[in-house]
């Protein structure tokens, strides 16, 4: 319990912290349970920490004002109109004020996260239901193209669907790498990522139909099906490319 001593916890507070963590198997905790545990630990530390610890938390919260100024995260300035000098020693009134305002901030943030988690799941669930629908459409569309369009086998449709799915998956991987969603957004991101290959497959098949229709022509200096697969990949990878194509079709350009 060296860390607890460094945080300025007395023996009673150390016992509370031990009781909270005793017998806890971290491997069994899901995201929500882990978040609830961390919220409880944070409140316990703030309620019992010494001046040095409270000062460090205040300094961290003031810095967070700058980092999360344009995000939905509840920060000190969004909850309180004033600041406490983070440099102890403090008198008893200042200490209790810092403690009570930090506790109120953390509880406000926890409630905000809880509401955001609920809204995230409300957005994520419909995305998961969309996946089997798109799968059925892809499976139905490939043999339909084979049956209706002359000189096009199911292999060509499967190639376009696969190329679109690969493009969409790669696009999702780039977004995860470059945009680094906040933890609270990960639920929606992973649900969208799970559906993205199916969306890409549908986009690839749509672009295949556009090419087969002859409405648009793409430069083709090599293998015809390689060109179609490349266009299908681009449709899955780039939403603006797909929407621009749809817009040109709708506008009759």
């Amino acid at each position: 319990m060296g860390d607890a001593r460094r945080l300025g916890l007395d023996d009673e507070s150390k016992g509370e912290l031990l009781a909270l963590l005793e017998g806890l198997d971290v491997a069994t905790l899901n995201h929500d349970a882990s978040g609830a545990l961390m919220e409880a630990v944070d409140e316990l530390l703030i309620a019992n920490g010494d001046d040095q610890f409270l000062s460090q938390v205040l300094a961290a919260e003031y810095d967070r004002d700058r980092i999360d100024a344009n995000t939905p995260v509840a920060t000190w300035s969004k909850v309180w109109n004033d600041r406490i000098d983070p440099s102890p020693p403090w008198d008893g009134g200042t200490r209790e004020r810092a403690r009570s305002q930090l506790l109120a901030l953390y509880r406000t943030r926890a409630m905000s996260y809880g509401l955001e988690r609920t809204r995230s799941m409300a957005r994520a669930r419909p995305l998961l239901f969309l996946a089997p629908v798109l799968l059925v459409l892809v499976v139905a569309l490939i043999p339909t193209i084979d049956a209706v369009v002359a000189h096009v086998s199911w292999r060509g449709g499967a190639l376009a669907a696969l190329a679109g799915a690969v493009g969409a998956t790669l696009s999702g991987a780039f977004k995860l790498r470059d945009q680094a969603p906040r933890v609270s957004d990960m639920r929606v991101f992973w649900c969208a990522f799970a559906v993205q290959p199916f969306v890409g497959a549908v986009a690839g098949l749509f672009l295949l139909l556009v090419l087969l229709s002859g409405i648009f022509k793409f430069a083709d200096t090599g293998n015809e099906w390689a060109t179609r697969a490349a266009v299908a990949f681009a449709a899955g990878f780039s939403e603006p490319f797909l929407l621009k194509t749809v817009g040109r079709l709708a506008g009759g350009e």
Side-chain angles (χ1 to χ4, degrees), residues 32-51:
D32 291 334
S34 299
L37 174 64
M38 292 306 301
E39 290 164 7
V41 170
D42 286 340
E43 289 191 15
L44 177 62
L45 294 175
I46 291 172
N48 297 280
D50 61 7
D51 287 2

Side-chain angles (χ1 to χ4, degrees), residues 48-100:
N48 297 280
D50 61 7
D51 287 2
Q52 182 181 2
F53 174 72
L54 294 176
S55 172
Q56 292 170 347
V57 176
L58 280 174
E61 288 300 330
Y62 296 160
D63 188 55
R64 191 166 189 172
D65 270 339
R66 174 183 57 82
I67 297 172
D68 289 327
N70 299 317
T71 71
V73 175
T75 61
W76 182 276
S77 295
K78 295 175 184 176
V79 177
W80 304 110
N81 294 323
D82 59 345
R83 288 194 173 192
I84 300 171
D85 183 358
S87 303
W90 295 322
D91 57 36
T94 302
R95 180 181 305 107
E96 290 311 308
R97 178 182 160 211
R99 201 184 304 277
S100 64

Side-chain angles (χ1 to χ4, degrees), residues 151-213:
H151 309 300
V152 177
S153 72
W154 65 268
R155 294 180 181 84
L159 175 62
L162 181 60
V166 171
T169 303
L170 185 61
S171 175
F174 284 159
K175 289 178 182 177
L176 178 62
R177 183 197 67 181
D178 298 334
Q179 297 179 8
R182 293 171 50 226
V183 173
S184 56
D185 295 331
M186 289 302 288
R187 286 184 181 85
V188 176
F189 179 85
W190 285 119
C191 290
F193 190 76
V195 175
Q196 200 151 351
F198 302 104
V199 175
V202 172
L205 288 172
F206 167 72
L207 261 294
L208 173 63
L209 291 175
V210 171
L211 291 177
L212 292 173
S213 71

Side-chain angles (χ1 to χ4, degrees), residues 92-115:
T94 302
R95 180 181 305 107
E96 290 311 308
R97 178 182 160 211
R99 201 184 304 277
S100 64
Q101 288 189 242
L102 281 170
L103 281 171
L105 172 62
Y106 273 57
R107 288 166 182 166
T108 300
R109 186 177 295 155
M111 293 174 63
S112 176
Y113 280 157
L115 180 60

